[in-house]
Amino acid sequence: LFLSLFYGEQYYVFRGNYWDYFNYISTSLLILKSNFVEILNLNSNQDIPLFLKISREYIFYRPSASLFLSLFLNLSTSSLFIIGFAFKFFLIILILISIFNLLSSLLKNNSFYSRLFYSLTFTFSFWTFYTYEIDALSHLASIPLFIFLLNQTFYFFDKLKKNNYYFLINFLIVFVSLFIVYVELASVYALLFFVYCLLNNDCNFKIISKNLKIIGIFVTIFLAITLPLYEFTF
């Protein structure tokens, strides 16, 4: 933030991938200024600003990050690039919280400060900032969801045995969110979950057959939410 104040607009507007960044901001502006019916009725042949023509094409392609960014733009549209810059910091903070949550489960004997240190190390590591610098906002927004699910996986079968529907519903909501925000990372998580099932003694035919009804309901809910965007997900 200090560097952005020191270097000015050139620093926080034109980062590593301003093409995608401008697409996200344009789509956010479109969502902010128009309702869904108005967006659908936009015609690229109309005499409208270029950003509207471009964002109309991207409105169905990973819209979640743009949707949340549009909420931030309610603060001010006159300084939309500095707000977009702050939005990326907000996502970084969510990554910090999620990785600290995961490490609190894995490193229970470690002190609070050591877990915080490891969390900060991950948050300011190459991969997080590579994603940050290429302005892959959907990917950046998906990382905390992905890490949160990794942590919840350790408790999944125990909660399933106990019919803890509060946990299971939260798990489903976050997985659906990850699937919509960034389907590629959701696919990676699904693969890891499958491998975890193969290695975990709690995952067996007995527990699956016992919970076929709840599994069927959850699959139905998952499909009902995700199918409207099938062209850009499935």
Side-chain angles (χ1 to χ4, degrees):
L1 282 172
F2 172 77
L3 288 174
S4 69
L5 295 173
F6 184 78
Y7 285 112
E9 288 184 343
Q10 192 70 16
Y11 177 80
Y12 61 78
V13 175
F14 298 100
R15 300 302 303 162
N17 182 12
Y18 51 83
W19 298 276
D20 279 7
Y21 189 42
F22 286 9
N23 286 340
Y24 278 115
I25 288 182
S26 296
T27 308
S28 300
L29 275 173
L30 179 62
I31 294 170
L32 178 68
K33 298 292 185 181
S34 313
N35 63 45
F36 194 58
V37 175
E38 290 171 335
I39 293 172
L40 291 177
N41 290 332
L42 274 177
N43 192 321
S44 58
N45 296 322
Q46 289 177 260
D47 184 21
I48 55 176
L50 178 62
F51 86 89
L52 285 176
K53 294 181 180 181
I54 295 172
S55 55
R56 172 63 179 84
E57 297 175 15
Y58 283 91
I59 197 67
F60 293 106
Y61 185 66
R62 293 179 187 155
S64 305
S66 298
L67 178 63
F68 281 109
L69 178 53
S70 71
L71 295 176
F72 277 70
L73 290 181
N74 276 289
L75 297 171
S76 170
T77 52
S78 61
S79 55
L80 56 94
F81 286 107
I82 194 69
I83 289 177
F85 193 59
F87 174 69
K88 291 196 287 184
F89 273 98
F90 170 74
L91 298 179
I92 292 285
I93 292 168
L94 292 185
I95 293 173
L96 173 64
I97 293 170
S98 63
I99 195 69
F100 182 83
N101 186 37
L102 174 63
L103 292 179
S104 295
S105 295
L106 296 176
L107 308 174
K108 293 179 180 178
N109 295 328
N110 290 53
S111 69
F112 169 85
Y113 294 105
S114 65
R115 282 178 276 155
L116 181 60
F117 173 75
Y118 295 140
S119 301
L120 287 167
T121 302
F122 176 86
T123 305
F124 291 99
S125 66
F126 166 80
W127 183 246
T128 308
F129 262 81
Y130 175 76
T131 309
Y132 166 85
E133 283 291 348
I134 63 171
D135 291 314
L137 297 191
S138 293
H139 192 173
L140 198 65
S142 70
I143 293 174
L145 299 172
F146 176 78
I147 296 171
F148 176 84
L149 284 172
L150 287 179
N151 185 43
Q152 297 304 293
T153 303
F154 299 127
Y155 309 104
F156 182 83
F157 291 104
D158 180 59
K159 301 295 184 181
L160 186 61
K161 281 181 182 177
K162 296 176 180 176
N163 292 326
N164 189 327
Y165 297 120
Y166 176 78
F167 173 90
L168 296 173
I169 290 169
N170 276 317
F171 187 91
L172 176 66
I173 289 170
V174 177
F175 180 69
V176 169
S177 301
L178 178 61
F179 191 83
I180 293 172
V181 171
Y182 202 69
V183 67
E184 292 90 334
L185 203 54
S187 302
V188 171
Y189 172 75
L191 177 62
L192 292 174
F193 185 83
F194 177 72
V195 172
Y196 179 77
C197 286
L198 294 178
L199 300 175
N200 193 313
N201 293 328
D202 289 330
C203 180
N204 51 56
F205 180 77
K206 183 179 179 182
I207 191 172
I208 293 173
S209 60
K210 185 180 177 182
N211 292 279
L212 277 178
K213 184 177 179 180
I214 187 65
I215 292 171
I217 292 171
F218 276 37
V219 169
T220 303
I221 294 171
F222 172 80
L223 292 174
I225 296 172
T226 57
L227 277 176
L229 290 171
Y230 73 96
E231 289 181 271
F232 302 104
T233 50
F234 292 99

